[in-house]
Amino acid sequence: MPHDANARANAGLNVAVLVSVGRHPLTAGTRRADQDARAVEMALTLENAAISLLHAGPADPERQQALRGYLGMGLDTLDLLEQSADADVISVLEEEVRHRAPQLILTGSRAEAGEASGALPFLLAEALGWPIVTSLAAVEKVENGTAVMLQALPRGKRRRLRVRLPALATVDASAPPARQSAFGPARRGKFEHQTRPSEVDEPLSGWQFQEARKRPKRLKIVKASSARDRFKAAAAKAEGGGGQTLADVTPEQGAEAIFKLLKEEGVLR
Amino acid sequence: MLDTLLPVLLFTALALAALGAVRRVRLWRQGRSSSVPVLKGLLRVPRRYLVDLHHVVERDKYISHTHVATAGGFVLAALLAIVVHGFGLQSAMLGWVLLAATTSMFIGSLLVAKRRRPPPSRLSKGPWMRLPKSLMAFSIGMFVVTLPTAGILPEGVFQQGLGWIAALVLAAIIVWGLGEMFFGMTWGGPMKHAFAGALHLAWHRRPERFSDKTGGEHRSTGLKALRLDEPDAKLGVETPADFTWNQLLGFDACVQCGRCEAMCPAFAAGQPLNPKKLIQDMVVGMAGGSDARYYGSPYPGKPVGEHAGSPFGPIVAREGTSLVDAETLWSCTTCRACVEECPMMIEHVDAIVDMRRFLTLEHGNTPNKGAEVLDNLIATDNPGGFDPGSRLHWAADLNLPLMADKKEADVLLWLGDGVFDMRNQRTLRAFISVMRAAGVDFAVLGNEERDSGDVARRLGDEATFQTLARRNIKTLAQYRFSRIVTCDPHSFHVLKNEYGELGTSETPATYHVQHHSTYISELVSANKLSFKAWKGGSVTYHDPCYLGRYNGEYEAPRDVLKALGIEIKEMARSGYRSRCCGGGGGAPITDIPGKQRIPDMRMEDVRDTGADLVAVGCPQCTAMLEGVVEPRAEIKDIAELVADALVIDAPVGKADSTRAAPALALEETS
């Protein structure tokens, strides 16, 4: 139960979750974004946290309907900072975060629509001067202004991090799935609506948007004669080619190694 | 002494009964409002009781005869006892009638007692074991005190010598009898079923269920729409008091005969559901208290005495236990076997869906794949989350006529979500080849079709159901067709019985909907199809719940099979007693574990007939029954059997046969 004495002792963990309007991969309809919903789920499972939902963007009825998906997870209000469609929302988010002073910001790794560059959490963390944790899998404990978090690494590995709060963390598909959004609470939830001056994202206006299409995948032909072979082929790890682990090296050596790799891969010329 | 004591006893019992009745009515009135025609309803009780209820009771001849003797005897005896002994009308003739009535009641009570030696597991014990003795006490007591009135014993026989002692004993017996029959009737004894049952018949939530003198079909199976226009209203049923008052009254009418329990597929499979216990739990909740004084079979795997509730407390707790566990509600396949069997006309499925609505719409707690399926229905209009633009991919080679092109057709073929399922695509192909062979003018909606909303509604997501239904109604309103034909009994039921309530004056949603077996049967009667002789093995037929019990279509599929030259080896449980395949009501999605699987039990029924093939008429049944491990009977849809037997003679109209050819050719190679 969230209301026991122990939980009250560390009451006031103030968590803000940044949520966006998602886009269904098949129908392109608006919805609650999967990763953002996982971020809300993670916030809801934190013991006795005060959660606020924050969205900055245009507030037309269709998008509001999609945002109600987060309210249906059991939250009463969502703060809606209205912005024009071409706005860069970093500065308005920064301002709002400074005003609210949450200890922890959770959000998805990248949006499902729009630029979807995944840069927002980094830019916001940079603007705030906060540390950022990516691929958050769980928050284990929050104590004395420090959070113990599990970060998801490829192939199910986990890394335990101690992070001094305030911090910003992003979740991706390795976080626990979001709970069902219920129609009743979603409909009853309220928007705290504020219109904020929009800072127009200049470069964005020059860009052309087109739908991303999945590249056709080369078929993996398994030449296996027995069920055992087929199983082995299906369960096989992807072969990682080359690479090296650097440990106990000076920053210069590390930078050198990265520079060399980028040249080899043709990223830098 | 008895002359003065009897009226006192009788009127005291009646007064106490009246007091209890007021108290009982107040319990029911805790529920939500529901308007009923009060007087008209009461006037209809005799007919509803003698015709509709008796029709159900009569399925068990033994108890039907027993009940006629006992209840008939009691009602007559009670009325006459009030006149003769209460008001002291000493008429020998009335005395004789009273003797006859009590004799009838006594014989009935002997039969009641015999049935309980030993009591079958479906019957409740506890106070119910006392009932036959109480019936005997009432009938014997009334019989003996009436003997002087009828002139068989001399007047004043109870006022001298040994008579005094006999009078005392008799008075004690009568107190017992009156206590059970009058006092117990309204204070929660077993006889409560008579009082609540009569009023339940009067003010039933589905008056359409009852027959009238005009005859015709009297069936009311469509779920009632939940009003979604008040944003602050609680959705669904959270507490017992959230049911309408006449639903509470209905629960109180339960006579605990356990016929529902004997028919419930979830109970038989060891899933934690027993319809009888569920109704009793609602009664417990309505009055407040724990289920410790329930003396019937428990929910499998859940001991009695651990759950308690109150009229305004939650039925399902978010954490821990309260009145009922959520998995009990999610075990139901909505097959309606319990409702069909219930002699008290209680609506179990309505109640279960009402409670599911709260769990889904307010708690957001649909178990297992429920949430995912609902999300898919919202986003992609089909439960599997497939691209809604790919609804017709399976029929790329069939060149199906689209409503969007034709605008009108005789038959609108409703394909259903089976289009995404490879097994069901075979059924659809078969049915299309049948329609082409018969030269039917038909068209499909194609990508304009959405899920009918059946699964969403039965998972409690009324909002998604209404959205899907309204969109479908809007689409259907654009086209002209004389009937909708579908291979899916679930779509059939929803389109036929549940869309009507959502129609508007501009887009009425009353359609002539037919199941494909009904339509094929009509084509056969019209001599539009000719068949090869049947060469396969023996065949049995599995009635889909949503076709049979929900819509009363038992004959057409059998007629079609007969037309194919098939003699059906009926299963023990067929027709209105058909056992569910386990695929309805979202049960495969919520997937509550039990001791065995419902389809396995059904295939066992098939095995008992020795049939090599089971004919089905529902994509859910096909999927569930084919999921049973081999060796088992083969499963084929009626449409497939018909398509296999088709003989296409060239002269029947060249246009038709040329169009039909490619589809048929493919049918044979697949």
Side-chain angles (χ1 to χ4, degrees), chain B residues 603-615:
Chain B
M603 282 313 278
E604 201 52 52
D605 293 350
V606 172
R607 196 161 296 140
D608 290 343
T609 67
D612 307 317
L613 190 148
V614 47

Side-chain angles (χ1 to χ4, degrees), chain A residues 1-2 24 26-27 31-32 72 179-185 187-188 190, chain B residues 228 230-231 233 235 319 361-362 364-366 374 379-380 385 387-388 463:
Chain A
M1 292 297 288
H24 193 271
L26 278 178
T27 60
R31 61 164 188 176
R32 64 171 181 172
R179 67 191 60 188
Q180 190 176 356
S181 175
F183 176 81
R187 188 170 63 161
R188 277 192 294 274
K190 300 264 181 300
Chain B
L228 299 173
E230 293 155 42
L235 302 168
E319 283 167 33
L361 294 175
E362 295 287 359
N365 236 340
T366 325
L374 293 176
T380 63
D387 184 353

Side-chain angles (χ1 to χ4, degrees), chain B residues 112-190:
Chain B
V112 176
K114 187 176 160 239
R115 186 172 69 140
R116 286 184 173 269
R117 297 179 68 135
S121 69
R122 67 182 171 91
L123 292 179
S124 290
K125 285 86 189 173
W128 297 89
M129 294 306 282
R130 179 186 78 208
L131 184 62
K133 293 169 204 142
S134 308
L135 294 169
M136 285 181 208
F138 184 90
S139 51
I140 292 173
M142 280 300 162
F143 182 86
V144 178
V145 293
T146 311
L147 287 176
T149 318
I152 296 170
L153 286 181
E155 286 285 335
V157 69
F158 295 122
Q159 274 142 31
Q160 58 211 353
L162 274 178
W164 272 102
I165 300 166
L168 275 178
V169 174
L170 209 53
I173 292 176
I174 288 176
V175 168
W176 177 9
L178 286 175
E180 183 78 271
M181 304 305 290
F182 286 10
F183 175 75
M185 187 176 285
T186 58
W187 287 85

Side-chain angles (χ1 to χ4, degrees), chain B residues 284-285 287-292 307-311 323:
Chain B
V284 164
S290 105
D291 65 349
H307 292 74
S310 63
L323 196 53

